[in-house]
Amino acid sequence: MRHTRAAGRRHTAGSAAVAATALLLAGCTAGHGDRVADEDRYPHWQKEAGAPEAAAFMKAQVPPGATEVRGAVRVQPQERVYLLSFLTDQKTARSIADDLRPEHPLEAQDLSSSLSGDGFQHLGLTPPQELKGARSTSACPPCVGDARRSHVQAVEMPVGDGMGDRVRVYLAAY
């Protein structure tokens, strides 16, 4: 009788272990529906986030007299990309660039790669990558010890010609 009880306990313990392992594996494995839902969620645009939120994140002031001010926040799996754009005069654009403590001066360069991706199209603007003669600079605030922007990993600032003496400033940061 003792042999039968021990065998029964081993069988019950073995069944419980198999059931527990199956539950653990099922809990750790995402079903197809979960993967699709996650892929559909990213990237997306943060609702009701615009120029004020982007400017606040970048610790940037939209200059007095700036027009056509636009902004948005794109939520991605690992970070948010803040976009801000406006029309201003050439001198103000240079001042904004200098305030970023950039790695290089505002100059013509290849804009094929950008933090913004197609984000400025979302704002109804021609992306800076498509502008002829656009100038750009970038900054890494933590790299240059900019305590005002220590939470910002990178800022890109392309500038394109606007109308007359105005230029379009594009700012993208994460």
Side-chain angles (χ1 to χ4, degrees):
M1 186 108 169
R2 197 173 247 201
H3 178 68
T4 308
R5 282 186 190 173
R9 279 189 223 135
R10 280 194 302 263
H11 178 70
T12 304
S15 297
V18 168
T21 301
L23 286 172
L24 283 172
L25 289 174
C28 293
T29 305
H32 177 71
D34 292 340
R35 282 195 307 268
V36 170
D38 285 346
E39 290 171 2
D40 287 345
R41 279 194 318 174
Y42 296 109
H44 66 269
W45 296 100
Q46 184 174 326
K47 291 182 182 186
E48 300 182 27
E53 291 77 14
F57 176 78
M58 295 178 206
K59 302 288 188 211
Q61 298 292 321
V62 175
T67 58
E68 296 185 30
V69 179
R70 299 179 189 168
V73 179
R74 184 174 55 218
V75 179
Q76 300 181 153
Q78 295 189 3
E79 74 266 336
R80 294 171 191 265
V81 176
Y82 295 79
L83 304 173
L84 178 64
S85 183
F86 48 84
L87 286 174
T88 190
D89 63 81
Q90 194 75 253
K91 182 179 177 185
T92 302
R94 278 193 301 276
S95 175
I96 293 167
D98 291 343
D99 183 59
L100 294 175
R101 300 182 187 170
E103 299 160 1
H104 53 81
L106 193 57
E107 61 191 5
Q109 57 182 290
D110 177 26
L111 299 176
S112 59
S113 144
S114 174
L115 290 174
S116 66
D118 64 352
F120 288 106
Q121 282 180 311
H122 171 75
L123 296 175
L125 301 171
T126 301
Q129 302 92 312
E130 295 179 15
L131 299 176
K132 292 183 182 188
R135 295 163 293 132
S136 183
T137 192
S138 60
C140 170
C143 302
V144 296
D146 186 349
R148 301 166 301 162
R149 297 182 180 100
S150 61
H151 63 285
V152 177
Q153 295 301 307
V155 180
E156 289 179 351
M157 184 183 156
V159 175
D161 292 332
M163 296 168 47
D165 65 341
R166 311 283 280 174
V167 295
R168 171 144 314 267
V169 172
Y170 297 83
L171 290 160
Y174 74 96

